[in-house]
Amino acid sequence: MFRKYEFKSETEANTFIEALGVDEDGNPSHPHSIVRLGNIVLTEGEYDSEGEVITEPVLSTNYHVDVLWSGNAYSSWDAKMVWCPPMGVHTFGSSRAIAEWTEKCKELHPEYFPQNESTDI
Amino acid sequence: MINDASLVMIPSGYKDGKLYSVKPTDGSGDFTFSRGSNLAATRVNSEGLIEKGRENLLLQSNTFSTTWIKSNVSVTSGQSGYDGSNDAWQLSVSSSSYYMKQNLVTSNVQTFSVYAKAGTLNWLILGMGGGTFTQASFDLQNGVLGTTTNAIGSSVESIGNGWYKCSLIINKTTTNRIIYPAIDDGDLSASSGYIYIQDAQTEAGLVATDYIETTTTTAQAGILEDMPRLDYSGGSCPSLLLEPQRSNLFDFSEYFEGSYWGKTQQGSGSVPVVTGNYAISPEGVQNATRVQFDAVGSTSSDRSGLVRDFAFTSGTTYSISCWVKATSGNNELVQFRVAGAQVGGEQTATDEWQLFTATHTATVSTTDNFGMQVRGNNTTNESDILIYGMQLEQASYPTSYIPTYGASVTRSEDSCYKTGISSLIGQTEGVVFVEFDQNLIGQSATRRIFALNDGTTSNRITAYISSTNKIDFYVRNSGGDLFYANSTSPIGNEKGVHKIACAYKDEDYAVYMDGDLIISGTGTAGTIPACSRFDLGQQIGANDLYEPINQALLFPTRLTNDELASLTTI
């Protein structure tokens, strides 16, 4: 199961992630896939033809983490769960996970899915 | 000697979630394999082509009598198809304001394709709602494209017998897929008439790939979520790919025409000319992009680039990779840019596809560009190349290709193990043999080549490459260590195949690698740990080797040192 989370800081995210377990060598001992997106770009920057910044990108002040849970998402993380229009800035390359996330997102946030089902040419 | 083995795994047979062993033949030695990624996983297949995980997102893809919503059209099955079957459908117009559609919300780069043939009407229009309407017209009598609007592009390919494979390629969020018979280019004024259609498909990417039939659910093909990847990069004998979790940080790895990729120039340089779907890619389909760089001038300040800006911090290491080929057959040059720096030197593109890679650690913290560039002071200041599969990983080495079509994508870690095989593992003595292909040099982590265990780390027999690049052999039972030693010399910094055999028996241990004895000793007297699980390239899901495995054997007896030398000789 794929879910997106937002934390107030990297420190807070680390607390949640480390609570999932680490082994004697400090490696994750849990079966879940964790991707730290960090302070994601909310508004793209603008650049000139030489690649120089015209307008700096706007970054989120919160720290974002995507998790591909092995099984169901941990309920202890639920308060940090967030939803966005599909698929946001990152996804896991799993058909099953993407389909389940999309279905749930549509159920909870139909506003993220265009209602225009036009057949007009 | 191999006849004496109790388990023989030579990568050959597999299915989703399973890697078959050659011996035993009853399936009791087959490995469990997991990854949980299909759309992010690729391999080089036996034809030498990059193979992806694919998915047809449409339901009832060739059963147009159900699920598809119809307005003033009807469908009749049993028509002669493009593939010699009678699986085609007649799509007939009964009055004006007609369509046949399936509601499907997708985003990013997608291709919608249908096989079609002229009937009494000669045109097909494919459409997609959601925001600005997207459409493409196809002339089914002459096999040419009509008008395409609000799309990346469209294509029509003759299949024979009047059939055409018609495709519409988009990069946007859409809400449906619509099929219209038509009188002319963009003309839906028909009130009667028909065309033939067959096999509709919507998939991620810039090109319509081989058709995947669906019914009440979507269907996948190619690399599946838990399918072992037997990779033929090294030639005719495949290796088992065991890779870590990785993300391609580039949102678009194949679509370079859009605004995501900056086309930049500096000094007297020109912005590069980018042409999508220009040539056959290493995937074997028409989705390689042509890029024509021209720095114009002769100084390092004259530049032509295809780049994407990211914020990065000093000390972070990135690996960039991309398949590149010269467009004309003449050698062409290009350089990577990583974290705003020119890295990897000039790379020479030839008339063969090559995977170019470069790794760089950022030395400052700022926002700057990643991608490709040609400068005025390069050996030549122009370059005309084909590119495919640009990938950026935050890591010290690149891994296999992860396709992206509008968002960064993560491929989860490969895992291969077998439980419940105490009958195949020598309980009082034995040998574990593994042949692996060393690609990674100078890794700081300890990396398990194999681990026999009971599901815990209390009872285990394991060999690993240490942080000092030596081989360590470790045997312990719940009472403590029985044997622990490492090779006196590092295994070397050359990439290539290694064969290792680890023999264990009470107070009689030895490790041979590539024909040489590298570890031996008596250790402490005690009971060899009872093991029932065999982890390949890891230890109970951790401490991964991350190297391709060519074969693995278990022997239930301790072979002689001469036999170990013979077994491991390259």
Side-chain angles (χ1 to χ4, degrees):
Chain A
M1 179 180 285
F2 163 39
R3 291 292 183 267
K4 291 174 175 286
Y5 300 92
E6 185 177 86
F7 299 91
K8 290 176 183 171
S9 66
E10 182 175 5
T11 303
E12 185 186 37
N14 287 340
T15 302
F16 276 76
I17 292 168
E18 287 166 11
L20 297 175
V22 291
D23 66 14
E24 59 196 16
D25 297 322
N27 299 310
S29 59
H30 58 79
H32 317 294
S33 297
I34 309 284
V35 174
R36 296 164 178 270
L37 303 175
N39 305 105
I40 62 172
V41 175
L42 299 178
T43 306
E44 292 285 345
E46 291 181 56
Y47 307 91
D48 65 17
S49 64
E50 296 188 356
E52 298 300 320
V53 176
I54 300 170
T55 308
E56 292 283 354
V58 178
L59 302 181
S60 168
T61 56
N62 291 325
Y63 192 87
H64 295 253
V65 174
D66 280 2
V67 182
L68 182 62
W69 297 99
S70 176
N72 290 329
Y74 282 19
S75 57
S76 56
W77 285 52
D78 283 355
K80 302 297 177 183
M81 195 183 297
V82 292
W83 297 90
C84 65
M87 296 295 303
V89 300
H90 169 266
T91 187
F92 289 93
S94 159
S95 291
R96 278 197 296 256
I98 290 171
E100 191 277 338
W101 185 91
T102 305
E103 200 61 32
K104 192 68 178 176
C105 186
K106 195 172 183 180
E107 175 190 325
L108 297 174
H109 295 278
E111 70 275 17
Y112 292 155
F113 294 79
Q115 295 302 301
N116 175 9
E117 295 179 350
S118 169
T119 55
D120 297 336
I121 287 184
Chain B
M1 202 182 315
I2 202 167
N3 292 331
D4 297 329
S6 54
L7 185 149
V8 178
M9 192 291 292
I10 300 171
S12 50
Y14 61 88
K15 68 173 184 179
D16 198 26
K18 191 77 74 180
L19 176 66
Y20 296 126
S21 290
V22 175
K23 186 181 180 182
T25 57
D26 63 359
S28 61
D30 296 343
F31 284 80
T32 299
F33 195 93
S34 65
R35 182 182 48 253
S37 294
N38 59 332
L39 303 178
T42 62
R43 66 160 179 165
V44 174
N45 67 18
S46 58
E47 297 172 348
L49 300 173
I50 291 176
E51 182 179 3
K52 296 174 176 172
R54 302 183 295 118
E55 181 173 27
N56 186 353
L57 297 167
L58 287 170
L59 307 181
Q60 304 293 358
S61 58
N62 195 46
T63 307
F64 298 106
S65 54
T66 183
T67 303
W68 293 83
I69 302 163
K70 301 170 197 72
S71 172
N72 297 325
V73 294
S74 61
V75 291
T76 307
S77 64
Q79 311 298 315
S80 296
Y82 70 90
D83 53 358
S85 69
N86 290 318
D87 294 339
W89 296 70
Q90 182 176 305
L91 177 59
S92 304
V93 177
S94 54
S95 66
S96 59
S97 300
Y98 59 85
Y99 61 81
M100 180 172 73
K101 72 171 184 176
Q102 185 170 139
N103 292 330
L104 171 66
V105 177
T106 63
S107 54
N108 304 329
V109 176
Q110 303 274 328
T111 296
F112 174 32
S113 62
V114 178
Y115 290 86
K117 180 180 180 177
T120 57
L121 296 171
N122 292 328
W123 285 75
L124 162 74
I125 298 176
L126 297 180
M128 295 187 222
T132 310
F133 197 81
T134 300
Q135 66 180 83
S137 295
F138 304 88
D139 180 346
L140 301 177
Q141 195 169 40
N142 301 302
V144 296
L145 291 170
T147 304
T148 299
T149 54
N150 301 316
I152 291 176
S154 56
S155 71
V156 60
E157 176 190 358
S158 176
I159 305 299
N161 294 325
W163 281 95
Y164 295 93
K165 187 175 187 178
C166 304
S167 305
L168 174 58
I169 309 150
I170 55 135
N171 175 33
K172 58 184 291 196
T173 298
T174 54
T175 56
N176 55 27
R177 303 292 183 275
I178 315 167
I179 301 173
Y180 310 89
I183 287 180
D184 207 337
D185 186 358
D187 186 348
L188 294 182
S189 61
S191 56
S192 63
Y194 60 86
I195 62 171
Y196 299 101
I197 59 170
Q198 188 178 353
D199 294 351
Q201 182 153 296
T202 286
E203 61 197 297
L206 287 163
V207 67
T209 62
D210 292 345
Y211 173 66
I212 307 164
E213 182 96 13
T214 72
T215 53
T216 56
T217 61
T218 67
Q220 296 81 35
I223 306 295
L224 305 178
E225 295 211 349
D226 293 318
M227 178 181 284
R229 290 178 295 160
L230 272 54
D231 187 85
Y232 289 78
S233 298
S236 57
C237 293
S239 298
L240 175 67
L241 274 186
L242 294 173
E243 294 188 310
Q245 174 181 309
R246 283 294 178 86
S247 303
N248 187 351
L249 302 179
F250 288 135
D251 287 359
F252 293 90
S253 63
E254 297 172 13
Y255 177 50
F256 300 98
E257 291 179 290
S259 60
Y260 176 86
W261 283 98
K263 291 82 181 174
T264 62
Q265 59 78 221
Q266 285 179 275
S268 58
S270 300
V271 296
V273 178
V274 178
T275 309
N277 284 10
Y278 184 85
I280 302 293
S281 76
E283 193 184 335
V285 296
Q286 185 89 12
N287 60 353
T289 296
R290 181 184 189 185
V291 187
Q292 296 163 275
F293 296 100
D294 189 354
V296 181
S298 59
T299 74
S300 63
S301 299
D302 302 318
R303 303 180 182 185
S304 178
L306 179 69
V307 295
R308 173 70 185 179
D309 281 55
F310 286 106
F312 54 86
T313 55
S314 179
T316 304
T317 301
Y318 296 91
S319 290
I320 192 169
S321 55
C322 187
W323 290 88
V324 184
K325 180 182 177 183
T327 302
S328 63
N330 299 321
N331 287 356
E332 304 280 355
L333 300 175
V334 72
Q335 287 191 295
F336 281 124
R337 280 187 74 77
V338 176
Q342 205 77 21
V343 300
E346 293 181 351
Q347 310 251 20
T348 303
T350 66
D351 60 357
E352 299 287 337
W353 281 105
Q354 299 174 80
L355 181 63
F356 289 166
T357 66
T359 296
H360 176 67
T361 301
T363 55
V364 294
S365 299
T366 185
T367 296
D368 211 326
N369 49 50
F370 295 70
M372 286 182 160
Q373 186 174 264
V374 169
R375 295 194 296 189
N377 65 338
N378 286 147
T379 303
T380 58
N381 65 358
E382 294 180 6
S383 187
D384 187 351
I385 58 174
L386 304 173
I387 64 172
Y388 168 86
M390 188 94 83
Q391 181 155 307
L392 180 66
E393 298 165 80
Q394 189 177 313
S396 60
Y397 63 92
T399 61
S400 63
Y401 175 47
I402 303 168
T404 62
Y405 302 111
S408 173
V409 175
T410 295
R411 178 195 63 233
S412 299
E413 176 180 276
D414 297 292
S415 178
C416 187
Y417 61 92
K418 178 61 186 173
T419 59
I421 54 167
S422 53
S423 63
L424 301 177
I425 297 171
Q427 297 296 306
T428 57
E429 61 180 289
V431 171
V432 183
F433 169 86
V434 176
E435 178 183 330
F436 65 97
D437 198 352
Q438 179 176 264
N439 290 308
L440 308 180
I441 306 297
Q443 299 299 300
S444 58
T446 60
R447 300 184 293 138
R448 259 60 174 185
I449 299 168
F450 71 85
L452 301 179
N453 57 80
D454 63 351
T456 75
T457 54
S458 298
N459 291 290
R460 53 178 160 157
I461 300 170
T462 181
Y464 57 93
I465 302 173
S466 71
S467 57
T468 55
N469 216 30
K470 294 178 180 177
I471 297 295
D472 286 27
F473 185 39
Y474 183 38
V475 181
R476 69 159 291 157
N477 63 23
S478 55
D481 295 355
L482 298 179
F483 183 77
Y484 176 62
N486 54 41
S487 58
T488 54
S489 303
I491 61 173
N493 286 329
E494 295 79 28
K495 293 184 178 182
V497 171
H498 289 297
K499 295 182 178 181
I500 185 169
C502 301
Y504 58 91
K505 189 176 182 180
D506 187 24
E507 297 187 81
D508 180 11
Y509 300 91
V511 177
Y512 274 75
M513 187 163 181
D514 302 338
D516 297 325
L517 178 67
I518 60 170
I519 295 172
S520 66
T522 55
T524 303
T527 305
I528 294 295
C531 296
S532 58
R533 170 174 170 142
F534 184 12
D535 288 271
L536 202 49
Q538 61 176 212
Q539 177 179 276
I540 318 175
N543 309 113
D544 299 70
L545 177 65
Y546 298 138
E547 304 279 21
I549 301 288
N550 298 336
Q551 57 177 320
L553 311 174
L554 291 180
F555 293 88
T557 56
R558 189 210 186 285
L559 304 179
T560 67
N561 283 7
D562 285 345
E563 288 173 322
L564 296 173
S566 173
L567 187 64
T568 58
T569 297
I570 299 288

